[in-house]
Amino acid sequence: MSKDIPALYGSLVFNDKVMRNKLPKDMYKALKKTIQNGTHLELDVANSVAVAMKEWAVENGATHYTHWFQPMTGFTAEKHDSFISPTDGGEVIMDFSGKELVKGEPDASSFPSGGLRATFEARGYTAWDPTSPAFIKDNTLYIPTAFCSYSGEALDKKTPLLRSMEALSKEAVKMLKLLGRDDVTTVNTTVGPEQEYFLVDKELYNKRRDLIFCGRTLIGAPAPKGQEMEDHYFGALKPRVSAYMHDLDEELWKLSIPAKTKHNEVAPAQHELAPIFETANVAVDHNQLTMELMKKTAEKHGLVCLLHEKPFEGINGSGKHNNWSLTTNTGDNLLNPGKTPAENIQFLVFLMAVIKAVDDYADLMRISVAGAGNDHRLGGNEAPPAIVSIFLGDELTEVLKSIEEDRYFGKHETIQMDIGAHVLPHFTKDNTDRNRTSPFAFTGNKFEFRMLGSSTSVSNPNMVLNAAVAESLAQFYEELKEAEPGRMEEAVHELIKRAIRKHKKVLFNGNGYTEEWVEEAKRRGLYNLASTPEALKEFISDKNVKLLTEHHIFTKEEIFSRYEILLENYVKTIEIEAKTLHEMLAKDFLPAVSAYAGDVAKNAASKKAFLPSVSTASEETLVCSLSDAYEVLSSGLDSITEVLAQIREKTETSMQDAANTCLNEMLPLMDTLRKTADEAETKIPEGYLPYPTYDQLLFSV
Ligand code: ADP
Ligand code: MG
């Protein structure tokens, strides 16, 4: 039976069609104006929208509503209220007011604030974000909101993103006016995040403490077969996976999430889902929902969806490719090279603005994807290194080089109107996407930022990109604004010449996975922030504080509070991993080692008793090696406890110190113990191990 997908699509979303049907005409117009231009929403409009929303929600089975927000935990949060309101007669009606729609007051004291909000001021506010549509999930009306403290500081990931979109739009519109584009009033950032994930069997998952508590395996010897045959990438979908993906697509479509592409990834049990791009703010909300529904739908199929960046040692981890571009309200993609010179000049300015932004704020870009999980991936020969560089492809690189060297205009008497006419028309999308090792690649009409981890909210990376590009454009504007009318082409040419000289160091078309590139990047003076604690230190540098405060993305207090929160998240993650490893060794693995070694010894003894002349040398070797491992791991348990105590103590005085101890003491210790355990695991029969091995986890679905 075929399903009516167009009818299904968006059926649980309070979208434009519903609004048009349900709202009085003037109210509909006022709301549209707010959504499109970000203008203030009057209370009478809010009241009218609330009535329509409630009516539609109740018709679709909703009994509750919730203000849905994205606190700094990295997850989404929600508090549910029912629509019921008592009447005099002891009955109830379903009620929802404009005030309840636009503002909520959840207790904020249990959300991370990095010291922004003293705990006695527990009030936090959620404010309706009309630019992201409300939807129904689990019989509840979900209202996307921003979350801030009593005094207005942002406590979430949406607020700074919205601020950055505004900053970029403002600077881009100014620049476009200067280039003669009076038709453009707003510029939107567009985002399409490609999401990778693993699927494992739920029953197997339930037997592993490390997967349950950390989302990744802390011990586990490699399976005989990994990804070396490269037979999984784009391979045929297995029935169980295919059923899951179908189900997931439908759940996503009901919420207007434009899931488009799905396929198997490189590693066994690894898959990818890519949506069609949307406005950044909506794309962020939709990616959060996608991750949530990936997990929920998996449960229905007896599966667990792992979104950790590195669930399994020795095979590829999961990332998220953030495709990003700029679109005008008139529908132009500003990163489209175009065909006519006039378009090209606009393209070159925006292209150069991005190059400059990434070079100037490579550290912030790295920070925007920092986290304990992603540290396992970056630089691990499966993902870009921690060095941020840009891949442009040969042709665009040549365009910029010829401008730099004045070859571009050399043959022409007048400088007018030839920018790009020679080279750009040859330029096609296909030439650009061959380099998969670059962390930031131009892919025809957009940039693809590939450093994100699979579980990362796409909010921060886009916020940083927007802010940095806004700053480039603002600086370019200052350089171009005095250009004589009619000489703009020449002025742009000179600007690009200066800018490319300064910023070409960030361009790299070669293989980003090699050791030579690491050396070369060092010579060029590029950042290589290998770990989260190293990266986060740069977050609060003067340069970065200046950028983010001048464009009103953050106040200085907000930046410092976020720095604390990010460090604390890192420390807590490593602490949980260390405690889990401790528990897993003590309660699962060591008893298995001991039981097996004991049995082997007993069997050898009875063999010897039965037949004194027989050799038991192999058994002795085996028991010795297992006993050695037992010793190392047992004393390792004490070391874990000691280092954990050091970390806790340091959190009292300096979160950065605590994070450094996690990085420099705990992680190497965990690695060493893992090596010993994995080596021993290969000697122990499956029946003795209380948890499933990599073979089972990776090849069972
Ligand atoms: P691939 O990266 O596999 O070559 P595509 O070129 O189809 O695949 O694009 C990948 C992602 O980029 C998709 O999510 C797509 O919607 C998104 N994308 C395409 N154009 C834009 C754009 N202008 N802005 C943002 N994202 C875009
Ligand atoms: Mg891609």
Side-chain angles (χ1 to χ4, degrees), residues 436-651:
R436 308 303 291 179
T437 67
S438 176
F440 197 81
F442 185 71
T443 49
N445 60 1
K446 62 185 181 339
F447 275 99
E448 186 168 337
F449 187 25
R450 301 185 178 132
M451 282 173 101
L452 286 77
S454 46
S455 70
T456 321
S457 159
V458 286
S459 180
N460 281 342
N462 289 299
M463 176 271 288
V464 167
L465 251 173
N466 292 349
V469 174
E471 174 59 24
S472 295
L473 289 171
Q475 289 187 24
F476 285 179
Y477 179 85
E478 289 304 310
E479 291 184 53
L480 290 177
K481 71 176 181 196
E482 307 294 349
E484 285 171 38
R487 311 282 293 180
M488 189 51 81
E489 299 244 358
E490 186 187 352
V492 167
H493 167 86
E494 289 303 319
L495 169 91
I496 297 211
K497 216 161 98 178
R498 286 191 299 274
I500 195 66
R501 279 195 187 136
K502 189 158 167 214
H503 298 294
K504 66 182 173 191
K505 66 176 192 294
V506 77
L507 301 180
F508 178 64
N509 289 341
N511 183 352
Y513 290 2
T514 61
E515 206 36 54
E516 291 84 69
W517 167 235
V518 177
E519 290 303 314
E520 167 67 17
K522 198 169 163 186
R523 270 193 300 278
R524 294 191 190 184
L526 301 182
Y527 288 99
N528 184 359
L529 301 168
S531 71
T532 295
E534 284 164 84
L536 287 179
K537 264 197 300 215
E538 304 295 328
F539 189 19
I540 49 173
S541 72
D542 290 347
K543 166 185 85 102
N544 293 336
V545 171
K546 187 161 176 283
L547 171 79
L548 296 169
T549 54
E550 280 185 355
H551 290 277
H552 307 290
I553 315 290
F554 286 127
T555 62
K556 197 169 173 185
E557 290 69 33
E558 286 172 340
I559 295 173
F560 277 79
S561 77
R562 259 152 224 258
Y563 164 67
E564 281 294 315
I565 292 170
L566 290 167
L567 280 172
E568 197 176 336
N569 280 350
Y570 177 83
V571 171
K572 282 183 181 162
T573 304
I574 306 289
E575 283 179 324
I576 291 169
E577 289 188 351
K579 286 179 197 166
T580 304
L581 179 62
H582 189 285
E583 199 170 298
M584 209 164 157
L585 289 174
K587 295 188 179 163
D588 297 333
F589 191 65
L590 286 173
V593 176
S594 163
Y596 182 52
D599 283 354
V600 173
K602 254 188 276 166
N603 289 346
S606 56
K607 205 159 114 181
K608 202 91 190 156
F610 180 64
L611 204 69
S613 65
V614 82
S615 162
T616 52
S618 316
E619 284 94 332
E620 279 167 38
T621 313
L622 181 57
V623 172
C624 275
S625 112
L626 290 174
S627 301
D628 286 349
Y630 194 95
E631 277 308 304
V632 171
L633 295 174
S634 299
S635 67
L637 293 181
D638 297 335
S639 310
I640 291 179
T641 309
E642 272 165 41
V643 180
L644 271 173
Q646 285 171 28
I647 294 169
R648 256 308 92 193
E649 202 183 313
K650 287 184 184 170
T651 58

Side-chain angles (χ1 to χ4, degrees), residues 635-690:
S635 67
L637 293 181
D638 297 335
S639 310
I640 291 179
T641 309
E642 272 165 41
V643 180
L644 271 173
Q646 285 171 28
I647 294 169
R648 256 308 92 193
E649 202 183 313
K650 287 184 184 170
T651 58
E652 300 293 322
T653 48
S654 157
M655 210 45 94
Q656 181 77 55
D657 280 354
N660 294 346
T661 307
C662 290
L663 175 70
N664 301 321
E665 309 285 334
M666 189 58 97
L667 286 174
L669 171 63
M670 289 170 64
D671 265 351
T672 318
L673 296 178
R674 176 181 189 135
K675 281 202 185 80
T676 307
D678 290 359
E679 171 68 28
E681 190 191 286
T682 61
K683 301 185 174 118
I684 300 172
E686 230 152 67
Y688 283 84
L689 293 171

